[in-house]
Amino acid sequence: MMKRIMASAFLMFFMLHPASHALDLRGITKHLDTLKSVVGATAKATRPISDEEEYFLGRAVAARVLGTYPLANDKDLTKYINLIGKTVSVSSGKPFTYGGYHFAVLETEEINAFACPGGIIFVTKGLIEMTANEEELAAVLAHEIAHINKRDGIAAIKSSRWTEALAVIGTEAARKYSLSDVAKLVTIFEDSIDDIFKTLIVNGYSRSQEFTADESALQYLAQSGYDPEALISFLKRLSGKGRPSGGGITATHPETADRIDNIAGKIPAGQADPRSVEIRTARFMEVQKPVR
Amino acid sequence: MKRIVAAIILIIIAAPVLVFAEQASVVTKENAVREYCRFFAPVVAPVRYKDVLDIVCPQDDWYKVRYKATEGCIHRTAVEKRSASFTGSTLPGRGAGSVSESEAALAGKGFNPQVEASYRKKYPAMKYNLVDRIEHENVSEKEIVSFITGGGLNQP
């Protein structure tokens, strides 16, 4: 009798729930958390942004940057920085973004680099000319990738924008917006782009954001096989340039000496193979010839 | 005897709450399920945004997943766990009847293609054509692997 009851119970259990799915008790906690978070969605939405939204913001910021600086039309150089950047990005904390990482060169002598939210990264020809080798160029790109990983561009958006956006989008699932909703969202979108653009071009990120990006860059460089010391050698060369009165990397970043001090004791252990560094420097020089 | 019967009934009633299929949805525009858990491993199935995968198990920074008739790996930053899916009520594929918490709050909301289209219409001089060009100028995985190995770098 007992055996029959047990057998029936197990039979019912497996009929109700296909054997291909595992019993996952951890799921209970997560399920409860989900219910809790859906209930509290309004409160959470004070800073809501998905990777997809970040992508659309980043595209708009990139379009603004390209209205300020012309895009360089150098296919070999563009391909080269994409190869370096993509190599470093797979060793970063966020190898995948919604639209992926894309690297482009700006045709200006100004020494600068910009990370647009979502994954588009610009470096200027002036900066490329200043780097001594592939390691240093990788160091610059690693720093910019770190800004994307940490969503520093998104953090530049004033929190009031999120409150305004929330009033339009509410807490329900995705939907097609009415014309008046779209008009409101476009205004908020525009204001958010302004916030990011001003931070990238004029004000710069906070000291702590820059220091953290440098620290993360060291890790990405080491993990991808580049020499992390290259970040210090690049910064030392940069400090020799002084602070220009106009724009540029030194105008939007903390004092270069402070950046060097911050990372000096944080270089990851291990050393890049000198023969490999030589090979990389040779290919750097090859691509650089038309630039210099 | 009564206790045993009560326990069995309890198991049967409680089971639907206890049993979850772990699933994840793709959060990038395009990605791939790979033969083994490494970057640039051969692709066994291309996946797109919002495709739903069954998680078999985690493996370091990857998930072993099942997608349609194939099994393979996908990096954990390319997907988002769907934590509220009940076994038997959903099937892998687009539009399955379950949502994760952040999907419920964010998916397709706010700054989406509709907003970008209106913004572009308002500012036709914005250089979106160049942004599109940048996004389309891609390097292949084969080229990246060759670049990594040729330069003595680490292939993750």
Side-chain angles (χ1 to χ4, degrees), chain A residues 1-2 5-6 9 12-13 16-18 20-28 30-31 33-34 37-38 41 44 48-53 55-57 59-60 62-64 66-67 71-73 75 78-80 82-84 86-87 90-91 93-99 101-104 120 122 134 162 165 169-178 182 185-190 192-193 222-226 276-277 279-280 283, chain B residues 1 4-5 8-9 11-23 27-32 34 39-40 49-50 54 58 62 66 74-78 81-88 90 99-120 122-123 125-141 143-156:
Chain A
M1 175 64 184
M2 179 63 190
I5 293 169
M6 291 288 280
M12 281 174 77
F13 180 89
L16 279 168
H17 315 292
S20 60
H21 293 116
L23 182 71
D24 184 0
L25 293 173
R26 283 173 306 170
I28 299 169
K30 283 202 177 132
H31 183 53
D33 286 344
T34 303
S37 76
V38 169
K44 190 178 163 225
I49 189 151
S50 64
D51 281 6
E52 188 190 6
E53 283 183 284
Y55 165 77
F56 287 111
L57 271 170
R59 276 171 56 81
R64 279 282 299 269
L66 290 164
L71 183 66
N73 198 17
K75 280 198 173 293
T78 302
K79 186 174 184 177
Y80 181 61
N82 269 282
L83 287 166
I84 300 172
K86 284 171 190 281
T87 297
V90 290
S91 292
K94 193 175 168 70
F96 295 106
T97 64
Y98 176 82
Y101 290 93
H102 302 277
F103 303 83
I120 295 177
F122 293 111
E134 186 173 307
W162 302 124
I169 63 182
T171 55
E172 327 130 43
R175 63 188 166 92
K176 203 147 173 72
Y177 297 110
S178 69
V182 171
L185 280 171
V186 168
T187 305
I188 301 164
F189 187 65
E190 212 176 314
S192 304
I193 294 158
Q223 278 161 30
S224 52
Y226 282 111
S276 298
V277 174
I279 291 169
R280 296 195 289 267
R283 69 185 179 189
Chain B
M1 180 62 192
I4 294 166
V5 173
I8 290 165
I9 291 168
I11 288 170
I12 293 167
I13 293 168
V17 181
L18 298 176
V19 180
F20 291 88
E22 289 235 275
Q23 291 186 318
V27 292
T28 61
K29 253 200 295 192
E30 290 171 348
N31 219 291
R34 296 181 182 274
F39 290 102
F40 315 120
Y49 184 53
K50 287 184 181 175
D54 286 326
W62 297 76
R66 194 176 298 118
I74 194 160
H75 196 269
R76 64 172 62 208
T77 60
K81 263 193 178 183
R82 299 162 63 90
S83 48
S85 63
F86 288 90
T87 297
T90 59
V99 288
S100 78
E101 56 183 89
S102 54
E103 275 176 325
L106 303 173
K109 295 182 76 174
F111 308 143
N112 60 17
Q114 198 185 356
V115 172
E116 182 183 290
S118 298
Y119 178 71
R120 290 176 74 158
K122 192 173 172 185
Y123 298 102
M126 289 284 280
K127 309 280 185 188
Y128 271 101
N129 58 326
L130 297 178
V131 177
D132 291 338
R133 198 168 100 191
I134 290 167
E135 287 189 352
H136 285 110
E137 266 175 22
N138 229 333
V139 288
S140 70
E141 291 195 354
E143 285 173 308
I144 300 170
V145 172
S146 166
F147 183 82
I148 289 171
T149 50
L153 295 163
N154 301 331
Q155 192 178 332

Side-chain angles (χ1 to χ4, degrees), chain B residues 19-89:
Chain B
V19 180
F20 291 88
E22 289 235 275
Q23 291 186 318
S25 57
V26 178
V27 292
T28 61
K29 253 200 295 192
E30 290 171 348
N31 219 291
V33 175
R34 296 181 182 274
E35 197 177 315
Y36 45 90
C37 298
R38 274 192 84 177
F39 290 102
F40 315 120
V43 173
V44 293
V47 288
R48 296 177 70 82
Y49 184 53
K50 287 184 181 175
D51 277 346
V52 178
L53 320 171
D54 286 326
I55 298 175
V56 177
C57 64
Q59 189 174 309
D60 302 319
D61 286 338
W62 297 76
Y63 288 121
K64 281 200 165 177
V65 294
R66 194 176 298 118
Y67 176 65
K68 292 181 178 168
T70 57
E71 269 197 35
C73 294
I74 194 160
H75 196 269
R76 64 172 62 208
T77 60
V79 294
E80 182 175 69
K81 263 193 178 183
R82 299 162 63 90
S83 48
S85 63
F86 288 90
T87 297
S89 64

Side-chain angles (χ1 to χ4, degrees), chain A residues 112-180:
Chain A
N112 220 336
F114 310 105
C116 305
I120 295 177
I121 290 173
F122 293 111
V123 282
T124 63
K125 267 200 177 166
L127 184 142
I128 295 171
E129 282 170 25
M130 218 201 84
T131 53
N133 49 35
E134 186 173 307
E135 315 297 290
E136 288 190 4
L137 192 44
V140 172
L141 297 180
H143 175 93
E144 298 305 321
I145 289 166
H147 280 310
I148 289 172
N149 274 215
K150 308 286 178 194
R151 287 183 139 189
D152 288 335
I154 297 304
I157 299 170
K158 288 179 186 160
S159 57
S160 60
R161 314 272 184 238
W162 302 124
T163 318
E164 292 165 34
L166 183 62
V168 181
I169 63 182
T171 55
E172 327 130 43
R175 63 188 166 92
K176 203 147 173 72
Y177 297 110
S178 69
L179 284 177
S180 94

